[in-house]
């Protein structure tokens, strides 16, 4: 039985709002409206029993899902997710993003190797959040950070997390884009009573990006030995982000998950075997064969 708060953006809401869910069925009902049962990460190779698999996934990750949704569901909510590889970090953050109604974004593998491509993708994310005021979750995995430009990516992340420093934030935009930003945000600058200058515009842009952009950085504690160096080199990852360790699953919850999975797997194997027998047995010969087999079994037992 679950009893916790999750953040969800429901109909008529422009931002996610906290809601309390009492049972696992409540959680499943909310998540199922947003995530198709056919999604491979939810139900594996069993689309016909997708809801059951969704239940088992939530048995393992329900609490972390609630925590993640509450973190990114608020302005300036950023998440540092740590744990062993294969612990379900992507599933948790993906579900939390959908619950909050945000646009999911990530960096391509090319962005980790080509600085021009990196700045282009970062620019698009900043534009969506800061100018268009679209709530975006930018997920950065340790596999991306392992690329040659990993330090550059973390430097950009650290800069956008900082409260008053936005030099690199402005530098990602071309001169043409900077002029567009200036024109788009001048009314906001004036409304706030600030000096009508480019400096005030960049300050407003930085604040809007922090409000609407939610950064999720994932570190695998088993695949990478450099995560400690990263957080030491960029302390904003610790001081300006909420930490979620996703990797410790209570034994009884894991047992329940394994049991339900094995029941489904065994039943599926049995059904496939029966289907194969029916397809290979000639019509009309199944009953006599079964009767004959039964007689032999009974005679053996009686003997």
């Amino acid at each position: 039985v679950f009893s916790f708060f999750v953040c969800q953006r429901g109909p008529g809401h422009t931002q996610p709002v906290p809601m309390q869910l009492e049972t696992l069925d409540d959680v499943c009902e909310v998540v199922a409206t947003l995530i198709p049962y056919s999604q491979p990460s939810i139900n594996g190779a069993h689309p016909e029993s997708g809801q059951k698999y969704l239940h088992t996934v939530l048995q393992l990750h329900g609490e972390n899902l609630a925590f993640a949704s509450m973190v990114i569901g608020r302005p300036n909510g950023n998440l540092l997710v740590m744990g062993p590889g294969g612990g379900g970090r992507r599933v948790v953050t993906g579900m939390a993003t959908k619950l909050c109604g945000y646009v999911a974004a990530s960096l391509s593998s090319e962005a980790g190797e080509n600085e021009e491509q990196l700045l282009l993708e970062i620019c698009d994310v900043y534009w969506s959040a800061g100018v268009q005021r679209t709530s975006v979750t930018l997920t950065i995995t340790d596999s991306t950070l392992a690329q040659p430009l990993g330090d550059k990516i973390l430097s950009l992340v650290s800069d956008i997390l900082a409260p008053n420093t936005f030099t690199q934030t402005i530098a990602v935009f071309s001169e043409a884009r900077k002029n567009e930003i200036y024109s788009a945000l001048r009314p906001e600058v004036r409304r706030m009573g600030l000096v009508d200058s480019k400096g005030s515009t960049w300050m407003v842009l930085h604040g809007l990006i922090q409000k609407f952009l939610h950064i999720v950085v994932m570190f695998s504690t088993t695949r990478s030995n450099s995560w400690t160096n990263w957080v030491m080199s960029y302390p904003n990852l610790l001081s300006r982000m909420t930490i979620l360790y996703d990797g410790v699953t209570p034994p009884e919850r894991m047992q329940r998950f394994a049991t339900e999975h094995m029941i489904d797997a065994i039943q599926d194997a049995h059904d496939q075997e029966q289907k194969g027998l029916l397809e290979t047995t000639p019509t009309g010969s199944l009953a006599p064969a079964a009767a004959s087999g039964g007689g032999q079994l009974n005679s053996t037992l009686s003997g």
Side-chain angles (χ1 to χ4, degrees), residues 38 63 77 147 169 203 208 258 279 297:
S38 59
E63 293 177 9
Q147 299 292 324
T169 302
M203 184 175 65
L208 289 171
E279 291 176 349
L297 177 61

Side-chain angles (χ1 to χ4, degrees), residues 24 42 51-61 253 256-257 260-261 264:
L24 182 62
I42 298 301
Q51 187 171 11
K52 188 176 184 63
Y53 273 77
L54 185 59
H55 270 80
T56 56
V57 168
L58 290 172
Q59 286 175 357
L60 292 176
H61 304 296
R253 193 174 300 169
R256 185 164 59 248
F257 174 84
E260 293 194 14
H261 174 76
D264 279 352

Side-chain angles (χ1 to χ4, degrees), residues 212-259:
F212 289 99
L213 176 60
H214 306 271
I215 300 174
V216 177
V217 177
M218 297 184 185
F219 288 153
S220 171
T221 55
T222 53
R223 289 198 310 165
S224 173
N225 294 323
S226 57
W227 68 269
T228 52
N229 295 328
W230 285 334
V231 296
M232 291 177 66
S233 300
Y234 303 98
N236 280 339
L237 296 175
L238 295 178
S239 62
R240 307 289 296 180
M241 305 184 82
T242 302
I243 300 174
L244 168 62
Y245 187 83
D246 185 23
V248 180
T249 302
E252 67 278 3
R253 193 174 300 169
M254 180 63 79
Q255 180 62 45
R256 185 164 59 248
F257 174 84
T259 301

Side-chain angles (χ1 to χ4, degrees), residues 36-51:
Y37 290 153
S38 59
Q39 183 171 323
S41 63
I42 298 301
N43 64 344
H46 301 269
E48 72 283 354
S49 58
Q51 187 171 11

Side-chain angles (χ1 to χ4, degrees), residues 76-212:
N76 303 311
N78 303 287
L79 198 61
L80 176 61
V81 189
M82 304 170 66
R89 290 168 294 141
R90 294 195 185 192
V91 172
V92 168
T93 55
M95 284 184 175
T97 297
K98 288 183 177 293
L99 278 175
C100 293
Y102 295 163
V103 174
S106 60
L107 298 176
S108 67
S109 57
E110 185 182 353
E113 301 177 349
N114 184 299
E115 185 168 357
E116 183 178 352
Q117 181 65 25
L118 170 62
L119 296 180
L120 180 63
E121 294 183 18
I122 290 290
C123 177
D124 288 342
V125 172
Y126 286 177
W127 179 271
S128 297
V131 179
Q132 298 179 335
R133 306 185 191 190
T134 301
S135 295
V136 180
T137 299
L138 174 62
T139 301
I140 302 172
T141 65
D142 54 350
S143 58
T144 300
L145 296 176
Q147 299 292 324
L149 293 178
D151 279 317
K152 176 68 174 179
I153 294 171
L154 287 179
S155 179
L156 290 169
V157 169
S158 181
D159 188 73
I160 200 62
L161 291 174
N164 299 314
T165 303
F166 45 87
T167 305
Q168 290 194 85
T169 302
I170 305 306
V172 303
F173 295 102
S174 65
E175 289 301 320
R177 268 290 175 90
K178 288 179 182 178
N179 291 331
E180 291 178 15
I181 293 171
Y182 185 50
S183 299
L185 295 185
R186 282 186 73 188
E188 183 70 13
V189 171
R190 294 170 178 173
R191 187 188 67 80
M192 296 176 65
L194 300 174
V195 176
D196 188 359
S197 65
K198 290 189 176 181
S200 298
T201 303
W202 307 148
M203 184 175 65
V204 170
L205 174 67
H206 189 259
L208 289 171
I209 294 175
Q210 287 188 327
K211 179 179 180 180
F212 289 99

